[in-house]
Amino acid sequence: MVAISDGGSSVQDYDLGELYQQLRELDRSDKRLKRRLCHVHRDRSFIQSGDSEHGTLAEGSLTHVSLESLNAQCQTLFSCQELNSSRRETLRNDINICSRPRLRPLTILDMPDEILVRVCECVKGWEPDVLRYGSTFVRSPSNIKNLRLTCWRFCNTSSHLLLPFVRVELKQASVEHLNTVSQHPTISKGVRAVRVVLDYYDYELANDFALFAEYSAANLGDHADFLECMDSEEFEDRVGNNKETIRKTRQLENSCLSFASGAVDDATFGANPSHRKLLQRAHEEYRSRATDQKQVCESGTFVRIVTAAIGRMPRARRLELREHDGYSAPHWKRTTPPCAGDDDYFLCWMIRPMTWDEGRQWVLGTPHIDLLGLPGAGHEAGTFLKSLEINITSLPESHDVLTAEEMRSLSMSVQQLKNIQIKLRGYRMANLTELGHALDTAELQYLRNYIDAVLNTHSIQSLSLDFECFVDEDTGPLTDLGSLMTFRLWRNLEEVSWRSVLLYQKDMERFFQQLRKPLKSLHLCGVRLLGGSWAETLEILRTAPTGYVVTLSGPSGAECEDLSEEEINKVFRSQSGDYWGKSEAEDYITGYSRHNPPKPEENDHSDTSSTQ
């Protein structure tokens, strides 16, 4: 017997078994009421249809029964069902109260794993889709790290959120880390992207001490120029004494330059003997990293391990090939001011890995490894990518003409590709005003064939192209991409972003004709028009199947060559100063304005009056 009390009111003592017995009797009573209700409904249907004289009434019913009597029985039965329902609810409430002292208190660990996984995702917080937007906006997994240390249950349900993407560099320790992650039974299930960092340490530079001193001086000079361009007060809040840091950087730069030029004497290093030790230490560290990288590249295991690792991770369907991603430069994250004896701050700049374009500027070449062939190699390992990003400053020196077999393999690897981003921009050093390397004819043909192969699929939904290298300041446009955009149907394309792309007006018009669904967004930045006029191009964009999100900035070519910067800004730049503000050209494209900005406004008035 248990005394039932709820909300401070005591109820008569009940036995839990007696309450369950009453609940079962209510269930049996409900069944009888439903059966009787069915009989009454059948009798009513017979009477209403006039079949009572020719048929038989329900078993147990009277022979002479009126319709009013049956209706009254229905009302009575419905009332009994409502009473049973109310009584059932009361009994269940009493049962819960009686059972409460005997039940164990429930906790979050009593939830099933599916709900705990959702809870862990909320702990990590929202982040953009990695397959679509890449690993740039991935949140820090610090909360997940702490959650995994709570208990084994939380560890098992949150480990897949620990590493949404994995970075792999051209060094043995990084390759082993990727291989270990891909073989982990839980963590590997959460990896959605693999970023291959293409910055490298040149082996020739590592074996030439004088050349390395010159390279270190150039890096230190770039860093000093960067500090001088920053606002002193703003920089002082983050790093410390700006002037002292610049002074030390310049001194170390001059010492390295003196050694590189051969003008080394006691006066050069006598005042700062630590400079020679720091330079030697930096050279030893650089040579150690270059040796490790050479072993990884020459052994041929890098591409094989990366493709095998991607194949083992079920959700890793995005591949990123990036140079200068920032993670390999710990000095950018420095928040404490460099003190007098802190040489690591300057060491990071002296041994900074170089991009492919920098390697060509220093006449050193690029790594002898087919990194651009990773997508095709992944297909041979049974992996189909859904997202691909290529962000490089130059083509690898070991490139060659793509064979028909290589193009076929590359095309097969992208048949499920939905998002593709290709960015090829020359690396701008602080002391340079133009691109460090211009593509020659063979490189341009190789690049066109490569892009043609990766675009050979109907599954692409988002296309982003950035080709600053296609413009030479002396000779003008090197080539256009019209044939790559127009000689195929775009069945699923929804988002387009073009930056520094060269196109003829007729090719742009044909591109929109090849679309099979309206674009959700269109972003054109720095597009150079090689033929036609921007006034006619705006007409094409206005009638093209595009959505509300349309941006057009920094155009060149056609009539823009004859306009001043002020006139160009008036047409193609927002005058409100607001980030979300639209320019006159964008208002015309989206239909918010009837006036085509590049055309003289009086022409529109004359056309309107003549029409009237």
Side-chain angles (χ1 to χ4, degrees), residues 488-543:
R488 56 175 46 86
L489 294 177
W490 303 96
R491 301 185 184 276
N492 298 289
L493 191 60
E494 297 178 348
E495 299 178 357
V496 173
S497 176
W498 290 341
R499 183 183 181 91
S500 301
V501 173
L502 311 182
L503 284 174
Y504 286 95
Q505 177 185 304
K506 59 181 181 180
D507 291 333
M508 185 178 295
E509 183 177 9
R510 191 177 298 114
F511 167 77
F512 289 113
Q513 294 174 353
Q514 301 293 82
L515 295 176
R516 289 299 174 262
K517 61 170 59 176
L519 294 178
K520 293 182 179 179
S521 65
L522 175 64
H523 302 280
L524 305 177
C525 179
V527 174
R528 188 179 184 89
L529 199 61
L530 300 182
S533 66
W534 276 108
E536 296 175 353
T537 302
L538 294 186
E539 293 283 358
I540 296 173
L541 294 174
R542 182 183 175 91
T543 58

Side-chain angles (χ1 to χ4, degrees), residues 35 97 143 146 161 176 312 319 377 385 398 513 526 544 592:
R35 188 164 52 249
I97 296 174
N143 293 336
N146 297 331
L161 302 172
E176 293 176 355
R312 283 192 292 265
L319 177 62
L385 298 175
S398 59
Q513 294 174 353
Y592 283 89

Side-chain angles (χ1 to χ4, degrees), residues 374-393:
L374 275 173
H379 170 254
E380 296 177 358
T383 302
F384 287 92
L385 298 175
K386 292 186 177 181
S387 184
L388 175 64
E389 177 184 349
I390 301 177
N391 190 343
I392 58 179
T393 58

Side-chain angles (χ1 to χ4, degrees), residues 146-188:
N146 297 331
L147 190 63
R148 293 180 71 245
L149 299 177
T150 306
C151 63
W152 279 110
R153 187 82 184 282
F154 279 153
C155 181
N156 294 332
T157 54
S158 65
S159 294
H160 69 285
L161 302 172
L162 186 63
L163 289 177
F165 82 102
V166 181
R167 294 178 67 256
V168 55
E169 302 179 55
L170 297 175
K171 56 183 182 181
Q172 188 66 34
S174 183
V175 174
E176 293 176 355
H177 171 68
L178 173 65
N179 195 32
T180 302
V181 170
S182 66
Q183 295 178 357
H184 194 280
T186 304
I187 297 179
S188 62

Side-chain angles (χ1 to χ4, degrees), residues 192-256:
R192 288 166 287 173
V194 174
R195 179 189 299 181
V196 180
V197 182
L198 306 180
D199 297 346
Y200 72 103
Y201 300 93
D202 187 77
Y203 195 69
E204 181 181 349
L205 184 64
N207 293 323
D208 191 332
F209 191 58
L211 184 60
F212 174 77
E214 184 179 357
Y215 175 74
S216 299
N219 290 334
L220 292 170
D222 293 340
H223 182 47
D225 293 341
F226 171 74
L227 298 183
E228 290 175 349
C229 293
M230 296 180 65
D231 181 73
S232 299
E233 296 181 358
E234 178 184 356
F235 181 78
E236 189 172 355
D237 293 338
R238 294 191 298 109
V239 180
N241 194 335
N242 188 18
K243 294 183 179 180
E244 182 65 17
T245 304
I246 294 175
R247 185 184 65 81
K248 293 180 180 179
T249 306
R250 292 298 186 191
Q251 287 180 352
L252 186 56
E253 176 193 5
N254 294 332
S255 299
C256 294

Side-chain angles (χ1 to χ4, degrees), residues 580-593:
W580 299 104
K582 289 184 174 294
S583 65
E584 295 181 3
E586 292 168 346
D587 282 337
Y588 179 73
I589 294 173
T590 54
Y592 283 89
S593 173

Side-chain angles (χ1 to χ4, degrees), residues 71-334:
N71 290 336
Q73 291 184 36
C74 282
Q75 293 296 331
T76 305
L77 293 173
F78 283 140
S79 299
C80 292
Q81 283 185 329
E82 292 178 358
L83 290 175
N84 282 355
S85 178
S86 176
R87 177 58 180 163
R88 182 182 292 103
E89 184 178 353
T90 303
L91 284 174
R92 285 175 177 173
N93 186 39
D94 293 343
I95 290 174
N96 291 336
I97 296 174
C98 291
S99 304
R100 193 174 300 162
R102 307 181 184 182
L103 296 177
R104 177 179 60 83
L106 299 178
T107 65
I108 190 174
L109 294 179
D110 293 305
M111 293 182 176
D113 288 346
E114 293 80 4
I115 297 180
L116 283 182
V117 168
R118 296 287 186 177
V119 172
C120 295
E121 291 176 354
C122 294
V123 171
K124 182 179 181 181
W126 179 87
E127 63 185 15
D129 184 13
V130 173
L131 288 179
R132 184 173 183 180
Y133 299 102
S135 57
T136 304
F137 306 100
V138 171
R139 299 170 61 95
S140 173
S142 57
N143 293 336
I144 300 300
K145 291 180 181 179
N146 297 331
L147 190 63
R148 293 180 71 245
L149 299 177
T150 306
C151 63
W152 279 110
R153 187 82 184 282
F154 279 153
C155 181
N156 294 332
T157 54
S158 65
S159 294
H160 69 285
L161 302 172
L162 186 63
L163 289 177
F165 82 102
V166 181
R167 294 178 67 256
V168 55
E169 302 179 55
L170 297 175
K171 56 183 182 181
Q172 188 66 34
S174 183
V175 174
E176 293 176 355
H177 171 68
L178 173 65
N179 195 32
T180 302
V181 170
S182 66
Q183 295 178 357
H184 194 280
T186 304
I187 297 179
S188 62
K189 297 178 181 178
V191 178
R192 288 166 287 173
V194 174
R195 179 189 299 181
V196 180
V197 182
L198 306 180
D199 297 346
Y200 72 103
Y201 300 93
D202 187 77
Y203 195 69
E204 181 181 349
L205 184 64
N207 293 323
D208 191 332
F209 191 58
L211 184 60
F212 174 77
E214 184 179 357
Y215 175 74
S216 299
N219 290 334
L220 292 170
D222 293 340
H223 182 47
D225 293 341
F226 171 74
L227 298 183
E228 290 175 349
C229 293
M230 296 180 65
D231 181 73
S232 299
E233 296 181 358
E234 178 184 356
F235 181 78
E236 189 172 355
D237 293 338
R238 294 191 298 109
V239 180
N241 194 335
N242 188 18
K243 294 183 179 180
E244 182 65 17
T245 304
I246 294 175
R247 185 184 65 81
K248 293 180 180 179
T249 306
R250 292 298 186 191
Q251 287 180 352
L252 186 56
E253 176 193 5
N254 294 332
S255 299
C256 294
L257 284 175
S258 300
F259 188 89
S261 61
V264 182
D265 52 20
D266 294 337
T268 304
F269 286 103
N272 296 291
S274 61
H275 288 183
R276 179 188 291 273
K277 295 181 180 180
L278 181 58
L279 182 60
Q280 292 175 346
R281 176 188 167 194
H283 182 250
E284 291 175 0
E285 178 66 23
Y286 191 93
R287 182 167 53 186
S288 174
R289 298 187 182 189
T291 302
D292 178 71
Q293 175 188 280
K294 184 179 180 181
Q295 294 176 353
V296 172
C297 294
E298 291 184 350
S299 62
T301 60
F302 184 83
V303 174
R304 178 177 55 82
I305 292 179
V306 171
T307 54
I310 295 177
R312 283 192 292 265
M313 296 182 288
R315 299 180 64 189
R317 292 298 174 262
R318 177 180 174 89
L319 177 62
E320 300 176 358
L321 306 177
R322 288 191 184 185
E323 292 184 65
H324 210 60
D325 69 334
Y327 284 84
S328 57
H331 45 273
W332 284 111
K333 303 180 181 180
R334 188 61 176 268

